[in-house]
Amino acid sequence: MPGLPFDDNMSSGGLVAKASRGDNAAPLSITEISTRLKRAVEDQFGHVKLRGELSGVKRAASGHLYCALKDEKAVIDGVMWKGNAQRLSFLPEDGIEVIASGKLTTYPGRSKYQIVIDSMEIAGEGALLALLEKTRKRLEAEGLFAPERKRALPFIPRRIGVVTSPTGAVIRDILHRLADRFPSHVMVWPVMVQGQGSAEQVAHAVRGFGQLPDDVRPDLLIVARGGGSIEDLWSFNEEVVVRAIADSSIPIISAVGHETDTTLADFAADRRAPTPTAAAEIAVPVLRDLAATLDEYAFRQRKCALRPVDLGRERLEARANRLPKPEALLQQSTQKLDDLGERLRRGLADCASTARERLQADRARLSVHMLQRPVQEGRLRLDAQGNRLGAGLRQAVQLGERRLDQAGAGLRPALIRARIDRARGMLDSFSRVLPQLDPDKPLERGYARVIASDNRTMTSQKAASAEARLTLKFHDGELEVVTGSPPLRKPGRTPPASPAEQGDLF
Amino acid sequence: MEQTAPDISQLSFEDALRALEDVVRRLEGGEVPLDESIDLYERGEKLRKHCQARLDAAQARIEKIVAGPDGKPSGTAPFDGG
């Protein structure tokens, strides 16, 4: 049989075989045969489940969905009436492998058979992912996921809208973490997050938040769902949700499934959080951190407030340091003063010594010159006078000498010489007489002269007898003799000198 | 550049915090003249108080949207965090 996946109980089915039944060969009308065929097909294939790839998918204006299911060798048309088509949990697309459930029926007007699909599911996870990828590419091509569409999240949202199931761990996790970090005003829009109609609810909630009046509208949305299979999360891959998120006037954080699950809603959201708890962490800062930051700023600000003062003080000090020290300022003057003082002293000393020198010079001049000069002058004058005097004297002397000479010349030498000759003659005569008159001359002839101890010459016996001792003087010596008579008188009282002595005197 | 006090009340927390940070940076930069630094400090204090007030006002308030028959929100009700 051609490769249609008929059930076992349908193996005997066939148009020709049926038609050949009956012994009467009366021909059947087309309508009759078509009706009988239809009945047969619908009886036999009242409920079939076909697996095939969608092809020629077309949604009519009526809302009915027309398509074909095919495999490598066969194809069968299919139709899904509006009511069922609306309940599809995915958007049928060509190339998606599906499992369609329904009944076979014929379309006598066109000699066709087809399957009326009651429900259609994607044939396995691989097919689902393929569909997801196709949808993603399509929406991406539209620019729904473009980075430039992403909006910044408010730093501290005034109100946070949460689109999620009102029950379960997700909302608790979010509220708990929000309370931990930054207690906030949260508005929950309860939705189903799974199953029929959930995508519409989510999309409706997202749009609904955006349509709230300004005074209650949240400024941040969180669209969240807990972890699950790809099928569980499928609502968040649906285009209606993706478009609602992309079009939202309010920034959105998506938190669907676990970290490894990525839905198209995540692509469309402004931020993707790996988990609902993480969404809460992204949504609000930590109040304590902010308070600490504020405190730190306050501290730093307080610290800084006086910094210009400190800076000013430093700069002042820097300049003050560059000011010369008072000592240094005075040093030069001090040095100068010292110098001047030294010079003054030296000058004074110099002056004194100069004065002294001058004084001494003066004194010298005074003593030697000044005094001597008048003296010299006096002397000179004296000399002059003396000279004059001497000259006068010499003149007088010369005059006298001349006069003496004149007088001498007038004197006759002979006159004087005669007198000298006469005197010399007298002297000669006296000289001849004189030796004869020597009292001791006679001694040579034997006479002795008696002299007393006091050298008086005894000229009389009387005188001699008065002496105890006498000396006899010979011409060649003296001889001491003793008289016989005691001395009458003291030797000092000797009589005056004898005539001989007188003669001796002469 | 210099904003007056009334503007601060209009600032969002983030802007006020940023402004405060800017004030602190400028103060720390040390380039601000002394007189201006005093004004700056006062402004920083106002910004800080503004931010602090925002933090102090933070409190949890959980509501849920109540939808009317038309599916549109008709109001809010306390959310009991099921």
Side-chain angles (χ1 to χ4, degrees):
Chain A
M1 297 294 290
L4 284 174
F6 291 140
D7 292 343
D8 290 343
N9 60 347
M10 298 168 71
S11 59
S12 62
L15 291 172
V16 177
K18 283 183 178 177
S20 66
R21 264 204 206 153
D23 296 332
N24 296 334
L28 298 173
S29 71
I30 302 305
T31 300
E32 189 178 8
I33 189 61
S34 293
T35 304
R36 288 172 67 178
L37 186 59
K38 186 179 185 71
R39 191 175 302 123
V41 168
E42 288 181 358
D43 286 350
Q44 284 283 337
F45 307 107
H47 181 77
V48 294
K49 213 171 181 180
L50 309 181
R51 181 191 183 104
E53 184 180 308
L54 281 175
S55 168
V57 175
K58 191 177 134 197
R59 197 182 280 268
S62 58
H64 307 319
L65 179 78
Y66 298 95
C67 62
L69 293 167
K70 64 175 185 179
D71 60 13
E72 290 83 4
K73 293 177 181 163
V75 64
I76 183 173
D77 287 341
V79 63
M80 197 170 192
W81 307 122
K82 181 182 175 183
N84 288 328
Q86 278 175 343
R87 285 196 294 272
L88 273 176
S89 58
F90 68 99
L91 195 65
E93 283 184 59
D94 289 1
I96 301 290
E97 193 174 4
V98 296
I99 292 173
S101 301
K103 59 178 183 182
L104 289 186
T105 184
T106 64
Y107 182 28
R110 297 291 297 268
S111 182
K112 289 202 169 200
Y113 60 94
Q114 63 184 4
I115 176 171
V116 176
I117 303 168
D118 294 330
S119 66
M120 185 161 62
E121 293 165 331
I122 291 168
E125 201 163 290
L128 193 60
L129 290 174
L131 173 61
L132 179 60
E133 182 60 16
K134 285 171 81 78
T135 312
R136 190 188 69 76
K137 280 187 173 151
R138 185 162 48 79
L139 297 180
E140 187 174 41
E142 265 186 59
L144 259 58
F145 308 148
E148 56 267 25
R149 286 180 67 109
K150 309 296 184 195
R151 288 153 299 187
L153 307 182
F155 185 62
I156 299 177
R158 287 185 177 79
R159 278 175 293 278
I160 302 172
V162 181
V163 178
T164 192
S165 165
T167 59
V170 171
I171 187 65
R172 277 206 309 274
D173 288 350
I174 290 175
L175 292 177
H176 196 247
R177 187 52 59 99
L178 284 178
D180 271 355
R181 290 170 67 88
F182 201 108
S184 303
H185 182 188
V186 178
M187 302 166 79
V188 180
W189 194 305
V191 293
M192 292 198 313
V193 292
Q194 185 175 350
Q196 192 65 47
S198 61
E200 283 71 21
Q201 285 191 16
V202 170
H204 178 67
V206 168
R207 283 192 299 267
F209 269 134
Q211 288 160 1
L212 286 177
D214 279 356
D215 56 338
V216 295
R217 188 169 59 224
D219 49 0
L220 179 68
L221 295 186
I222 298 175
V223 175
R225 195 211 182 282
S229 69
I230 184 170
E231 232 175 324
D232 293 339
L233 304 181
W234 193 252
S235 299
F236 295 89
N237 284 320
E238 296 217 31
E239 195 167 338
V240 61
V241 170
V242 175
R243 287 193 184 279
I245 289 175
D247 292 342
S248 171
S249 60
I250 305 170
I252 292 182
I253 301 171
S254 72
V256 179
H258 295 302
E259 186 162 8
T260 48
D261 305 321
T262 301
T263 63
L264 297 186
D266 291 327
F267 285 113
D270 296 292
R271 280 289 292 278
R272 187 215 167 202
T275 62
T277 298
E281 288 170 357
I282 291 171
V284 292
V286 177
L287 181 62
R288 284 188 304 273
D289 289 353
L290 288 178
T293 302
L294 266 189
D295 288 347
E296 194 209 331
Y297 281 158
F299 171 73
R300 280 163 66 185
Q301 189 177 237
R302 274 197 296 278
K303 207 173 76 174
C304 285
L306 290 178
R307 178 143 173 226
V309 178
D310 292 339
L311 212 63
R313 187 177 293 123
E314 277 174 25
R315 281 156 65 184
L316 180 62
E317 279 173 5
R319 277 156 184 72
N321 285 340
R322 276 160 53 195
L323 277 177
K325 292 270 186 299
E327 306 91 83
L329 212 57
L330 285 177
Q331 260 169 7
Q332 214 176 0
S333 299
T334 307
Q335 200 173 4
K336 198 169 177 182
L337 181 62
D338 287 347
D339 182 45
L340 284 177
E342 177 62 25
R343 280 167 63 190
L344 179 64
R345 199 167 59 242
R346 217 170 38 231
L348 194 62
D350 284 355
C351 211
S353 69
T354 304
R356 192 177 296 121
E357 279 171 17
R358 277 171 59 193
L359 178 62
Q360 286 189 339
D362 283 353
R363 190 185 293 156
R365 267 162 50 202
L366 187 66
S367 57
V368 177
H369 297 292
M370 287 182 76
L371 288 182
Q372 275 183 349
R373 206 164 70 187
V375 171
Q376 279 179 336
E377 280 172 2
R379 189 174 291 145
L380 285 175
R381 278 163 57 192
L382 185 61
D383 285 350
Q385 296 291 336
N387 285 343
R388 281 168 61 193
L389 186 63
L393 206 56
R394 251 190 326 274
Q395 206 173 4
V397 169
Q398 283 173 347
L399 189 63
E401 279 177 345
R402 264 201 312 276
R403 283 170 62 188
L404 183 62
D405 285 349
Q406 284 173 355
L411 280 175
R412 280 176 304 212
L415 208 64
I416 296 178
R417 211 171 290 131
R419 289 174 64 183
I420 293 172
D421 288 342
R422 215 168 31 241
R424 186 173 293 137
M426 284 171 69
L427 185 58
D428 287 344
S429 64
F430 287 142
S431 298
R432 278 185 311 271
V433 173
L434 193 55
Q436 309 300 322
L437 296 176
D438 185 358
D440 290 332
K441 191 72 174 179
L443 300 182
E444 293 172 9
R445 282 179 290 152
Y447 297 95
R449 190 166 53 103
V450 180
I451 55 175
S453 57
D454 56 356
N455 221 22
R456 283 176 299 124
T457 300
M458 299 293 102
T459 57
S460 65
Q461 184 273 333
K462 190 182 170 189
S465 60
E467 297 295 323
R469 286 174 179 263
L470 291 171
T471 300
L472 299 179
K473 192 169 180 181
F474 298 90
H475 75 94
D476 57 348
E478 294 175 347
L479 180 65
E480 291 245 348
V481 294
V482 180
T483 66
S485 58
L488 293 179
R489 56 182 174 214
K490 289 188 177 170
R493 297 276 180 125
T494 53
S498 64
E501 285 175 340
Q502 291 293 325
D504 207 343
L505 282 174
F506 188 74
Chain B
M1 185 166 165
E2 284 305 306
Q3 286 178 324
T4 50
D7 291 327
I8 289 177
S9 63
Q10 302 300 316
L11 288 177
S12 71
F13 178 89
E14 194 179 13
D15 289 342
L17 190 67
R18 210 172 282 137
L20 175 59
E21 185 181 358
D22 180 55
V23 165
V24 171
R25 290 249 164 85
R26 287 177 64 195
L27 283 174
E28 285 180 334
E31 303 296 326
V32 185
L34 182 58
D35 292 340
E36 197 183 327
S37 77
I38 293 167
D39 293 342
L40 211 54
Y41 177 78
E42 286 175 354
R43 179 171 158 72
E45 272 301 293
K46 283 175 184 153
L47 286 165
R48 192 187 63 77
K49 281 180 182 151
H50 177 63
C51 291
Q52 192 68 53
R54 177 69 182 85
L55 294 185
D56 292 344
Q59 59 176 17
R61 177 177 157 205
I62 317 297
E63 298 171 320
K64 71 176 176 188
I65 302 290
V66 177
D70 55 353
K72 294 202 181 291
S74 60
T76 58
F79 181 78
D80 54 7

